[in-house]
Amino acid sequence: MKNTLLIGLLAGASLLSIASCSNPDYKRQDEVAVEPLPPLPPEPDTTGGKTAPENPATREINAVNATEDIKKMQPQM
């Protein structure tokens, strides 16, 4: 009994979703904005011209930085 109820509900839901997707009264307009958006204004400088200190936790991970880190970990002879 539960299986047939579940199948019936599933079939009804799929029928409703299919019926709602194909509305003949809805007219599609394929026209989109033809003008490009204006450029964004530059972000205000809130640091007062100061640069942020080097933080190894937020540094970009790439081959150059990884090589530098490995060289720092090597014992000095």
Coordinates of all heavy atoms in Angstrom, one line a residue:
M1 N 0.8 -1.2 0.0 CA 0.0 0.0 0.0 C 0.9 1.2 0.0 O 0.6 2.2 -0.7 CB -0.9 -0.1 1.2 CG -1.8 1.1 1.3 SD -3.1 1.0 0.0 CE -4.0 2.4 0.4
K2 N 1.9 1.2 0.8 CA 2.8 2.4 0.9 C 3.5 2.6 -0.4 O 3.8 3.7 -0.8 CB 3.7 2.3 2.1 CG 3.1 2.4 3.5 CD 4.1 2.3 4.6 CE 3.4 2.3 5.9 NZ 4.3 2.2 7.0
N3 N 3.9 1.5 -1.0 CA 4.7 1.6 -2.2 C 3.9 2.2 -3.3 O 4.4 3.1 -4.1 CB 5.3 0.3 -2.7 CG 6.4 -0.2 -1.7 OD1 7.0 0.6 -1.1 ND2 6.6 -1.5 -1.7
T4 N 2.6 1.8 -3.5 CA 1.8 2.4 -4.5 C 1.5 3.8 -4.3 O 1.4 4.6 -5.2 CB 0.5 1.5 -4.7 OG1 -0.2 1.5 -3.4 CG2 0.8 0.1 -5.1
L5 N 1.3 4.2 -3.0 CA 1.1 5.6 -2.7 C 2.3 6.4 -3.0 O 2.1 7.5 -3.6 CB 0.7 5.7 -1.2 CG 0.4 7.2 -0.7 CD1 -0.8 7.7 -1.4 CD2 0.3 7.2 0.8
L6 N 3.4 5.9 -2.7 CA 4.7 6.6 -3.0 C 4.9 6.8 -4.5 O 5.2 7.9 -5.0 CB 5.9 5.9 -2.4 CG 7.2 6.5 -2.6 CD1 7.3 7.9 -2.0 CD2 8.3 5.7 -2.1
I7 N 4.6 5.7 -5.3 CA 4.7 5.8 -6.7 C 3.7 6.8 -7.3 O 4.0 7.5 -8.2 CB 4.6 4.4 -7.3 CG1 5.8 3.5 -6.9 CG2 4.5 4.4 -8.9 CD1 5.7 2.1 -7.3
G8 N 2.5 6.8 -6.8 CA 1.5 7.7 -7.3 C 1.8 9.1 -7.0 O 1.6 10.0 -7.8
L9 N 2.4 9.4 -5.8 CA 2.8 10.8 -5.5 C 3.9 11.2 -6.4 O 4.0 12.3 -6.9 CB 3.2 10.9 -4.0 CG 2.0 10.8 -3.0 CD1 2.6 10.8 -1.6 CD2 1.1 12.0 -3.2
L10 N 4.9 10.3 -6.6 CA 6.0 10.6 -7.5 C 5.6 10.9 -8.9 O 6.0 11.8 -9.6 CB 7.0 9.4 -7.5 CG 8.3 9.7 -8.1 CD1 9.1 10.8 -7.4 CD2 9.2 8.4 -8.1
A11 N 4.6 10.1 -9.4 CA 4.1 10.3 -10.8 C 3.3 11.6 -10.9 O 3.5 12.4 -11.9 CB 3.2 9.1 -11.2
G12 N 2.6 11.9 -9.8 CA 1.8 13.2 -9.8 C 2.7 14.4 -9.8 O 2.5 15.4 -10.5
A13 N 3.8 14.3 -9.0 CA 4.7 15.4 -8.9 C 5.5 15.6 -10.3 O 5.7 16.7 -10.7 CB 5.7 15.1 -7.8
S14 N 5.8 14.5 -10.9 CA 6.5 14.7 -12.2 C 5.6 15.2 -13.3 O 6.0 16.0 -14.1 CB 7.1 13.3 -12.7 OG 6.1 12.4 -12.9
L15 N 4.3 14.8 -13.2 CA 3.3 15.3 -14.2 C 3.1 16.8 -14.0 O 3.0 17.6 -14.9 CB 2.0 14.6 -14.0 CG 0.9 14.9 -15.0 CD1 1.3 14.6 -16.4 CD2 -0.4 14.2 -14.6
L16 N 3.0 17.3 -12.7 CA 2.9 18.7 -12.4 C 4.1 19.5 -12.9 O 4.0 20.6 -13.4 CB 2.6 18.9 -10.9 CG 1.2 18.5 -10.4 CD1 1.2 18.7 -8.9 CD2 0.2 19.4 -11.1
S17 N 5.3 18.9 -12.7 CA 6.5 19.7 -13.0 C 6.6 19.8 -14.6 O 7.0 20.8 -15.1 CB 7.7 19.0 -12.5 OG 7.9 17.8 -13.0
I18 N 6.2 18.8 -15.3 CA 6.2 18.8 -16.7 C 5.2 19.8 -17.3 O 5.4 20.6 -18.2 CB 6.0 17.4 -17.3 CG1 7.2 16.5 -17.0 CG2 5.7 17.5 -18.8 CD1 7.0 15.1 -17.4
A19 N 4.0 19.8 -16.7 CA 2.9 20.7 -17.1 C 3.3 22.2 -16.8 O 3.0 23.1 -17.6 CB 1.6 20.3 -16.4
S20 N 4.0 22.4 -15.7 CA 4.3 23.8 -15.4 C 5.5 24.3 -16.2 O 5.6 25.6 -16.4 CB 4.7 23.9 -13.9 OG 5.9 23.2 -13.7
C21 N 6.3 23.5 -16.8 CA 7.4 23.9 -17.7 C 7.0 24.4 -19.1 O 7.7 25.1 -19.7 CB 8.4 22.9 -17.8 SG 9.3 22.6 -16.2
S22 N 5.9 23.9 -19.6 CA 5.4 24.2 -20.9 C 4.1 25.0 -20.9 O 3.1 24.5 -21.1 CB 5.3 22.9 -21.7 OG 4.3 22.1 -21.1
N23 N 4.2 26.3 -20.6 CA 3.1 27.2 -20.6 C 3.0 27.9 -21.9 O 3.8 28.7 -22.3 CB 3.2 28.2 -19.4 CG 2.0 29.0 -19.3 OD1 1.0 28.9 -20.0 ND2 2.0 29.9 -18.2
P24 N 1.9 27.6 -22.7 CA 1.8 28.2 -24.1 C 1.5 29.7 -24.0 O 1.8 30.4 -25.0 CB 0.7 27.4 -24.7 CG -0.1 26.9 -23.6 CD 0.8 26.7 -22.5
D25 N 1.0 30.2 -22.9 CA 0.7 31.7 -22.8 C 2.0 32.5 -22.5 O 1.9 33.7 -22.7 CB -0.3 31.9 -21.7 CG -1.6 31.2 -22.0 OD1 -1.9 31.1 -23.2 OD2 -2.4 30.9 -21.0
Y26 N 3.0 31.9 -22.1 CA 4.2 32.6 -21.7 C 5.0 32.8 -23.0 O 5.4 31.9 -23.7 CB 5.1 31.8 -20.7 CG 6.4 32.4 -20.4 CD1 6.4 33.6 -19.6 CD2 7.6 31.9 -20.8 CE1 7.6 34.2 -19.2 CE2 8.8 32.5 -20.5 CZ 8.8 33.7 -19.7 OH 9.9 34.3 -19.4
K27 N 5.4 34.1 -23.3 CA 6.1 34.4 -24.5 C 7.6 34.6 -24.1 O 7.9 35.4 -23.2 CB 5.6 35.6 -25.2 CG 4.2 35.4 -25.7 CD 3.7 36.7 -26.4 CE 2.3 36.5 -26.9 NZ 1.7 37.7 -27.5
R28 N 8.5 33.9 -24.7 CA 9.9 34.1 -24.4 C 10.5 35.2 -25.2 O 10.2 35.4 -26.3 CB 10.7 32.8 -24.7 CG 10.2 31.6 -23.9 CD 11.1 30.4 -24.2 NE 10.6 29.3 -23.5 CZ 11.1 28.1 -23.6 NH1 12.1 27.9 -24.4 NH2 10.6 27.1 -22.9
Q29 N 11.3 36.0 -24.5 CA 12.0 37.1 -25.2 C 13.4 36.8 -25.1 O 14.0 36.8 -24.0 CB 11.6 38.4 -24.5 CG 10.2 38.8 -24.7 CD 9.9 40.1 -24.0 OE1 10.7 40.7 -23.4 NE2 8.7 40.6 -24.2
D30 N 14.1 36.6 -26.2 CA 15.5 36.2 -26.2 C 16.4 37.5 -26.2 O 17.6 37.3 -26.3 CB 15.8 35.3 -27.4 CG 15.1 34.0 -27.3 OD1 14.9 33.5 -26.2 OD2 14.9 33.4 -28.4
E31 N 15.8 38.6 -26.2 CA 16.6 39.8 -26.2 C 17.2 40.0 -24.8 O 16.6 39.9 -23.8 CB 15.7 41.0 -26.6 CG 15.1 41.0 -27.9 CD 14.2 42.2 -28.2 OE1 14.2 43.1 -27.4 OE2 13.4 42.1 -29.1
V32 N 18.5 40.3 -24.9 CA 19.2 40.6 -23.6 C 19.8 42.0 -23.7 O 19.7 42.7 -24.7 CB 20.3 39.5 -23.4 CG1 19.7 38.2 -23.2 CG2 21.2 39.5 -24.6
A33 N 20.4 42.4 -22.7 CA 21.0 43.8 -22.6 C 22.1 43.9 -23.7 O 22.9 43.0 -23.8 CB 21.6 44.0 -21.3
V34 N 22.0 44.9 -24.5 CA 23.0 45.0 -25.6 C 24.0 46.0 -25.3 O 25.1 46.1 -25.9 CB 22.3 45.5 -26.9 CG1 21.4 44.4 -27.4 CG2 21.4 46.7 -26.7
E35 N 23.8 46.8 -24.2 CA 24.9 47.8 -23.8 C 25.7 47.2 -22.8 O 25.3 46.5 -21.8 CB 24.2 49.0 -23.2 CG 23.4 49.8 -24.2 CD 22.7 51.0 -23.6 OE1 23.1 51.4 -22.4 OE2 21.8 51.6 -24.2
P36 N 27.1 47.4 -22.9 CA 27.9 46.8 -21.8 C 27.7 47.6 -20.5 O 27.3 48.8 -20.5 CB 29.3 47.0 -22.4 CG 29.2 48.1 -23.3 CD 27.8 48.0 -23.9
L37 N 27.9 46.9 -19.4 CA 27.8 47.6 -18.1 C 28.9 48.6 -17.9 O 30.0 48.4 -18.4 CB 27.9 46.6 -17.0 CG 26.7 45.5 -17.0 CD1 27.0 44.5 -15.9 CD2 25.4 46.2 -16.7
P38 N 28.6 49.7 -17.2 CA 29.7 50.7 -16.9 C 30.8 50.1 -16.0 O 30.5 49.2 -15.2 CB 29.0 51.8 -16.3 CG 27.7 51.2 -15.7 CD 27.4 50.1 -16.6
P39 N 32.0 50.6 -16.2 CA 33.1 50.0 -15.3 C 32.8 50.4 -13.8 O 32.2 51.4 -13.5 CB 34.3 50.7 -15.8 CG 33.9 51.9 -16.5 CD 32.5 51.6 -17.1
L40 N 33.3 49.5 -13.0 CA 33.1 49.7 -11.5 C 34.1 50.8 -11.1 O 35.2 50.9 -11.6 CB 33.4 48.4 -10.8 CG 32.4 47.3 -11.0 CD1 32.9 46.0 -10.3 CD2 31.1 47.7 -10.5
P41 N 33.7 51.6 -10.1 CA 34.6 52.6 -9.6 C 35.8 52.0 -8.8 O 35.6 50.9 -8.3 CB 33.8 53.5 -8.7 CG 32.6 52.6 -8.3 CD 32.4 51.7 -9.5
P42 N 36.9 52.6 -8.8 CA 38.0 51.9 -8.0 C 37.7 51.9 -6.5 O 37.0 52.7 -6.0 CB 39.2 52.9 -8.3 CG 38.6 54.2 -8.7 CD 37.3 53.9 -9.3
E43 N 38.2 50.9 -5.9 CA 38.0 50.7 -4.4 C 38.7 51.8 -3.7 O 39.9 52.1 -4.0 CB 38.4 49.3 -4.0 CG 37.6 48.2 -4.6 CD 38.1 46.9 -4.1 OE1 38.9 46.8 -3.1 OE2 37.7 45.9 -4.6
P44 N 38.1 52.3 -2.6 CA 38.9 53.3 -1.9 C 40.0 52.7 -1.1 O 40.0 51.6 -0.6 CB 37.8 53.9 -0.9 CG 36.8 52.8 -0.8 CD 36.8 52.1 -2.1
D45 N 41.1 53.5 -1.0 CA 42.3 53.1 -0.3 C 42.1 53.3 1.2 O 42.1 54.5 1.7 CB 43.5 53.8 -0.8 CG 44.8 53.3 -0.1 OD1 44.8 52.2 0.5 OD2 45.8 54.0 -0.2
T46 N 41.9 52.3 2.0 CA 41.6 52.5 3.4 C 42.9 52.2 4.3 O 42.9 52.3 5.5 CB 40.5 51.5 3.9 OG1 40.9 50.2 3.6 CG2 39.2 51.8 3.2
T47 N 44.0 51.9 3.6 CA 45.2 51.5 4.3 C 46.1 52.8 4.5 O 47.1 52.7 5.2 CB 46.0 50.5 3.6 OG1 46.4 50.9 2.3 CG2 45.2 49.2 3.5
G48 N 45.8 53.8 3.8 CA 46.7 55.0 3.9 C 48.0 54.8 3.2 O 49.0 55.5 3.5
G49 N 48.0 54.0 2.2 CA 49.2 53.8 1.4 C 50.2 52.7 2.0 O 51.2 52.4 1.4
K50 N 49.8 52.1 3.1 CA 50.7 51.1 3.8 C 50.5 49.8 3.1 O 49.4 49.5 2.7 CB 50.4 51.1 5.3 CG 50.7 52.3 6.0 CD 50.3 52.2 7.5 CE 50.4 53.4 8.2 NZ 50.0 53.3 9.6
T51 N 51.5 49.0 3.1 CA 51.4 47.6 2.5 C 51.2 46.7 3.7 O 51.7 46.9 4.8 CB 52.6 47.2 1.7 OG1 53.8 47.3 2.6 CG2 52.8 48.1 0.5
A52 N 50.5 45.6 3.5 CA 50.3 44.6 4.5 C 51.5 43.8 4.8 O 52.3 43.5 3.9 CB 49.2 43.7 4.1
P53 N 51.8 43.5 6.1 CA 53.0 42.7 6.4 C 52.8 41.3 5.8 O 51.7 40.8 5.6 CB 53.0 42.6 7.9 CG 51.6 42.9 8.3 CD 51.0 43.8 7.3
E54 N 54.0 40.7 5.5 CA 54.0 39.3 4.9 C 53.5 38.3 5.9 O 54.0 38.2 7.0 CB 55.4 39.0 4.4 CG 55.5 37.6 3.8 CD 54.9 37.6 2.4 OE1 54.8 38.7 1.8 OE2 54.6 36.5 1.9
N55 N 52.4 37.6 5.6 CA 51.9 36.6 6.5 C 52.0 35.3 5.8 O 51.3 35.1 4.8 CB 50.4 37.0 6.8 CG 49.8 36.1 7.8 OD1 50.5 35.1 8.3 ND2 48.6 36.3 8.2
P56 N 52.8 34.4 6.3 CA 52.9 33.1 5.6 C 51.6 32.3 5.6 O 51.5 31.4 4.7 CB 54.0 32.3 6.4 CG 54.1 33.1 7.7 CD 53.6 34.4 7.5
A57 N 50.7 32.5 6.4 CA 49.4 31.8 6.4 C 48.5 32.2 5.2 O 47.7 31.4 4.7 CB 48.7 32.0 7.7
T58 N 48.6 33.4 4.8 CA 47.8 33.9 3.7 C 48.5 34.0 2.4 O 48.0 34.6 1.4 CB 47.1 35.2 4.1 OG1 48.2 36.2 4.3 CG2 46.2 35.1 5.3
R59 N 49.8 33.6 2.3 CA 50.6 33.7 1.1 C 50.1 32.8 0.1 O 49.7 31.7 0.4 CB 52.1 33.5 1.5 CG 53.0 34.0 0.4 CD 54.4 34.0 0.9 NE 54.9 32.6 1.0 CZ 56.1 32.3 1.2 NH1 57.0 33.2 1.4 NH2 56.4 31.0 1.3
E60 N 50.2 33.2 -1.2 CA 49.8 32.4 -2.3 C 50.7 31.1 -2.4 O 51.9 31.2 -2.2 CB 49.9 33.1 -3.6 CG 49.5 32.4 -4.8 CD 49.7 33.1 -6.1 OE1 50.2 34.2 -6.1 OE2 49.3 32.6 -7.2
I61 N 50.1 30.0 -2.7 CA 50.9 28.7 -2.8 C 51.2 28.5 -4.3 O 50.3 28.3 -5.1 CB 50.0 27.5 -2.3 CG1 49.7 27.7 -0.8 CG2 50.8 26.2 -2.5 CD1 48.8 26.7 -0.2
N62 N 52.5 28.7 -4.6 CA 52.9 28.4 -5.9 C 54.3 27.8 -5.8 O 54.9 27.6 -4.8 CB 52.9 29.7 -6.8 CG 53.7 30.8 -6.2 OD1 54.6 30.6 -5.5 ND2 53.4 32.0 -6.6
A63 N 54.9 27.5 -7.0 CA 56.2 26.8 -7.0 C 57.3 27.6 -6.4 O 58.2 27.1 -5.7 CB 56.6 26.4 -8.4
V64 N 57.3 28.9 -6.7 CA 58.4 29.8 -6.2 C 58.3 29.9 -4.7 O 59.4 29.8 -4.0 CB 58.3 31.2 -6.8 CG1 59.3 32.2 -6.3 CG2 58.4 31.1 -8.3
N65 N 57.2 30.2 -4.1 CA 57.0 30.3 -2.7 C 57.3 28.9 -2.0 O 57.9 28.9 -0.9 CB 55.6 30.7 -2.3 CG 55.4 32.2 -2.7 OD1 56.3 32.9 -2.8 ND2 54.1 32.5 -2.8
A66 N 56.9 27.8 -2.6 CA 57.2 26.5 -2.0 C 58.7 26.3 -2.0 O 59.2 25.7 -1.0 CB 56.5 25.4 -2.8
T67 N 59.4 26.6 -3.1 CA 60.9 26.5 -3.1 C 61.5 27.3 -2.0 O 62.5 26.8 -1.3 CB 61.4 26.8 -4.5 OG1 60.7 26.1 -5.5 CG2 62.9 26.5 -4.6
E68 N 61.1 28.5 -1.8 CA 61.7 29.4 -0.8 C 61.4 28.8 0.6 O 62.3 28.8 1.4 CB 61.1 30.8 -0.9 CG 61.5 31.6 -2.1 CD 60.8 32.9 -2.2 OE1 60.0 33.2 -1.2 OE2 61.0 33.6 -3.1
D69 N 60.2 28.2 0.8 CA 59.9 27.6 2.1 C 60.8 26.4 2.4 O 61.3 26.2 3.5 CB 58.5 27.3 2.2 CG 57.6 28.5 2.3 OD1 58.1 29.6 2.6 OD2 56.4 28.3 2.0
I70 N 61.0 25.6 1.3 CA 61.9 24.4 1.5 C 63.3 24.8 1.8 O 64.0 24.2 2.6 CB 61.8 23.5 0.2 CG1 60.4 22.9 0.1 CG2 62.8 22.4 0.2 CD1 60.1 22.2 -1.2
K71 N 63.8 25.8 1.1 CA 65.2 26.3 1.4 C 65.3 26.8 2.8 O 66.3 26.6 3.4 CB 65.5 27.4 0.4 CG 65.8 26.9 -1.0 CD 66.2 28.0 -1.9 CE 66.4 27.5 -3.3 NZ 66.8 28.6 -4.3
K72 N 64.3 27.5 3.4 CA 64.3 28.0 4.7 C 64.3 26.8 5.7 O 64.9 26.9 6.8 CB 63.1 28.9 5.0 CG 63.2 30.2 4.3 CD 62.0 31.0 4.6 CE 62.0 32.3 3.8 NZ 60.7 33.1 4.0
M73 N 63.7 25.7 5.4 CA 63.7 24.5 6.3 C 65.0 23.7 6.3 O 65.2 23.0 7.2 CB 62.5 23.6 5.9 CG 61.1 24.2 6.3 SD 59.9 23.0 6.0 CE 59.1 23.6 4.5
Q74 N 65.8 23.9 5.2 CA 67.0 23.1 5.1 C 68.0 23.6 6.2 O 68.1 24.8 6.4 CB 67.6 23.2 3.7 CG 66.7 22.7 2.6 CD 66.6 21.2 2.7 OE1 67.5 20.5 3.2 NE2 65.4 20.7 2.4
P75 N 68.8 22.7 6.8 CA 69.8 23.1 7.7 C 70.9 23.8 7.0 O 71.3 23.5 5.9 CB 70.3 21.8 8.3 CG 69.9 20.7 7.4 CD 68.7 21.2 6.6
Q76 N 71.4 24.9 7.7 CA 72.5 25.7 7.1 C 73.8 25.0 7.4 O 74.1 24.6 8.5 CB 72.4 27.1 7.7 CG 71.2 27.8 7.4 CD 71.0 28.1 5.9 OE1 71.9 28.3 5.2 NE2 69.7 28.0 5.4
M77 N 74.6 24.9 6.4 CA 76.0 24.3 6.6 C 77.0 25.4 6.5 O 77.0 26.3 5.9 CB 76.2 23.3 5.5 CG 75.3 22.1 5.5 SD 76.2 20.7 5.2 CE 75.0 19.5 5.8

